[in-house]
């Protein structure tokens, strides 16, 4: 399986623990910022979608994801 995603939450380690081989690469600073911006859009869309019939807890999780990306953007 191939995913073009930012890595977080020890995902490569979890994949390796499952007996599979993770394939990763380190992005340039410009690529990283572009991916963070893409991720921010994605997380904002998920937050808006969670406004519907989802639980308040799910919406808070989505808002937490937005905050995490915003902090990474601010840091970089």
């Amino acid at each position: 399986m191939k995913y073009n995603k930012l890595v977080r939450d020890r995902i490569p380690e979890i994949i390796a623990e499952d007996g599979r081989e993770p394939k990763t690469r380190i992005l340039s600073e410009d690529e990283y910022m572009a991916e963070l911006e893409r991720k921010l859009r994605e997380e904002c869309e998920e937050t808006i979608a969670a406004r519907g019939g989802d639980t308040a807890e799910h919406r808070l999780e989505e808002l937490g994801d937005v905050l995490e990306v915003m902090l990474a953007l601010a840091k970089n």
Side-chain angles (χ1 to χ4, degrees):
M1 239 182 259
K2 182 177 179 181
Y3 297 97
N4 291 317
K5 296 207 166 238
L6 290 173
V7 173
R8 55 183 236 189
D9 300 332
R10 299 181 39 249
I11 297 299
E13 293 171 41
I14 293 168
I15 291 170
E17 288 169 2
D18 194 36
R20 296 176 289 149
E21 184 180 339
K23 291 186 171 65
T24 63
R25 76 177 179 97
I26 298 173
L27 301 176
S28 71
E29 188 173 325
D30 287 343
E31 290 173 312
Y32 182 59
M33 291 301 286
E35 285 301 311
L36 282 174
E37 291 166 356
R38 183 194 61 75
K39 187 67 173 174
L40 180 60
R41 280 196 260 328
E42 175 187 317
E43 296 299 345
C44 286
E45 289 170 3
E46 290 175 2
T47 300
I48 292 166
R51 182 179 57 200
D54 288 338
T55 64
E57 182 177 322
H58 180 239
R59 183 154 170 134
L60 284 174
E61 289 174 10
E62 296 299 342
L63 285 168
D65 291 343
V66 169
L67 179 59
E68 185 176 345
V69 176
M70 289 175 59
L71 290 172
L73 279 164
K75 180 179 176 181
N76 290 284

